[in-house]
Amino acid sequence: MTVCVVGHSSPDTDSVTSAIAFAAYLNATGTEAKACMQTTAADLNPESAMLLERFGLAAPETITDAAGKQIALVDFSDLAQGPANLASAEVVAIVDHHKIGDVTTNSPILFRAEPVGCTGTVLNKMFKEAGVAIPKAVASGMLAAILSDTVNFKSPTCTDADKAAVAELKVVAGIEDTEELFMSMLKAKSSVDGVPAKDLLFRDYKDFDMKGNKVGVGQLELATLDQVADIREDLLAAMQAVKAEGRHSVLLMLTDVVKEGTDLVVLSDDTALIEGAFGSKLEGTSMYVPGMMSRKKQTIPNLQKAFGC
Ligand code: MG
Ligand code: MG
Ligand code: MG
């Protein structure tokens, strides 16, 4: 059976390019695999779509249901972020850089998670360890994923291992100017013109279980907060609709990657709890948190502490 390699729902560039890279790794090391993603090519986030086109990489196949399949996970291990029926599918490998989630297996598997800034960084090590050359386009995707996940090395999640991986992948990819690459990614990912508010909310969105409460956290990385000034009401309405589906809280991080801070928009059954999580007070429905860049390293741990997870 061909292994389907898939990243988390609402896939970001790391989830897309790591699926491509890990599928290439598995194929090169004797396991038949194909890259998949939990979206259609038409609905893929604009940054990843631009990168696939630029590097000449085929969009991974769409997967919505894992039933009866052999699955390899990249960039996540939470059932809530997987395709339908992941719990009953056969998970054969996991490569990640997040907290370990709630996926379990019946047999021993390849499980590789490291506290680095990007799954691409972990995969780069795996290729080296296996002595497998990374195809140029794949290396380009991995390089872009590291720049994306670490916000061009500015995120607190960035480690020396990520910088070292970029230095190596640059050579393989033949990409000299990573600043130019990052700015082209930022331009693509922060474009909001004409995009429905709900699509913006789900552009980079994850659900979490916090002590039995469903909490959704989206993030929009922006060159300036002015980009969303005219659509804040629309974004709130979209958040309200998503919250009404049975969530305790829906948060949207409007992150200014140049000023390095986040305007955090909050809809919650317990706003005091959310305020306490970030040591700040809401003005209306939002609060500006200087230095907040990372959902994984800053937003989620603070929420988990506040919820008593
Ligand atoms: Mg990701
Ligand atoms: Mg990642
Ligand atoms: Mg991300």
Side-chain angles (χ1 to χ4, degrees):
M1 200 188 304
T2 303
V3 173
C4 301
V5 185
V6 67
H8 55 74
S9 52
S10 296
D12 57 7
T13 291
D14 190 25
S15 270
V16 174
T17 61
S18 288
I20 293 170
F22 192 39
Y25 172 95
L26 289 172
N27 282 312
T29 53
T31 301
E32 202 182 309
K34 63 180 175 183
C36 297
M37 62 179 179
Q38 298 185 63
T39 186
T40 62
D43 286 334
L44 185 58
N45 75 75
E47 178 192 84
S48 302
M50 181 276 288
L51 290 166
L52 293 182
E53 162 111 41
R54 174 164 170 165
F55 301 139
L57 289 164
E61 201 173 288
T62 302
I63 182 175
T64 53
D65 195 326
K69 296 191 170 85
Q70 286 194 331
I71 305 278
L73 307 182
V74 286
D75 203 33
F76 81 109
S77 64
D78 280 301
L79 289 171
Q81 294 165 20
N85 298 308
L86 180 57
S88 58
E90 186 188 356
V91 175
V92 297
I94 300 173
V95 182
D96 194 14
H97 69 120
H98 293 88
K99 72 179 175 66
I100 297 173
D102 52 2
V103 168
T104 57
T105 64
N106 295 322
S107 316
I109 64 162
L110 167 65
F111 184 92
R112 177 86 174 250
E114 293 191 29
V116 294
C118 182
T119 307
T121 299
V122 183
L123 286 166
N124 182 54
K125 290 188 190 186
M126 292 173 67
F127 273 102
K128 278 201 292 182
E129 289 162 8
V132 175
I134 308 174
K136 183 177 175 181
V138 175
S140 304
M142 293 163 71
L143 164 61
I146 300 170
L147 297 179
S148 178
D149 264 12
T150 66
V151 196
N152 202 19
F153 306 138
K154 280 198 235 163
S155 168
T157 59
C158 185
T159 67
D160 288 343
D162 301 299
K163 293 177 186 167
V166 164
E168 292 170 6
L169 289 166
K170 271 172 75 167
V171 179
V172 184
I175 293 173
E176 263 303 307
D177 192 351
T178 57
E179 290 299 321
E180 181 280 325
L181 175 59
F182 179 75
M183 286 317 291
S184 73
M185 290 159 58
L186 183 57
K187 204 173 148 201
K189 93 165 89 186
S190 69
S191 73
V192 298
D193 296 342
V195 184
K198 193 174 178 196
D199 293 0
L200 290 174
L201 175 60
F202 282 117
R203 185 177 273 179
D204 181 5
Y205 173 93
K206 290 179 183 175
D207 274 319
F208 298 87
D209 180 86
M210 305 242 173
K211 271 271 166 93
N213 302 293
K214 196 167 180 180
V215 177
V217 184
Q219 183 173 28
L220 280 179
E221 286 167 328
L222 303 164
T224 162
L225 291 176
D226 294 344
Q227 286 176 277
V228 291
D230 293 340
I231 55 167
R232 294 187 77 102
E233 291 306 314
D234 299 340
L235 288 169
L236 263 180
M239 290 171 68
Q240 249 137 17
V242 170
K243 184 175 178 302
E245 291 167 1
R247 287 172 180 80
H248 176 282
S249 303
V250 175
L251 278 58
L252 179 58
M253 300 170 63
L254 301 172
T255 301
D256 185 323
V257 305
V258 178
K259 290 206 176 102
E260 300 185 36
T262 289
D263 197 19
L264 185 65
V265 187
V266 177
L267 287 180
S268 178
D269 291 341
D270 190 348
T271 49
L273 181 145
I274 308 291
E275 288 177 332
F278 302 104
S280 189
K281 281 265 174 268
L282 288 168
E283 286 175 44
T285 51
S286 72
M287 53 188 169
Y288 188 78
V289 186
M292 183 194 268
M293 305 277 284
S294 168
R295 173 173 50 203
K296 177 173 75 173
K297 200 141 185 171
Q298 296 168 308
T299 314
I300 299 308
N302 281 322
L303 285 172
Q304 284 176 319
K305 209 185 285 176
F307 274 89
C309 298

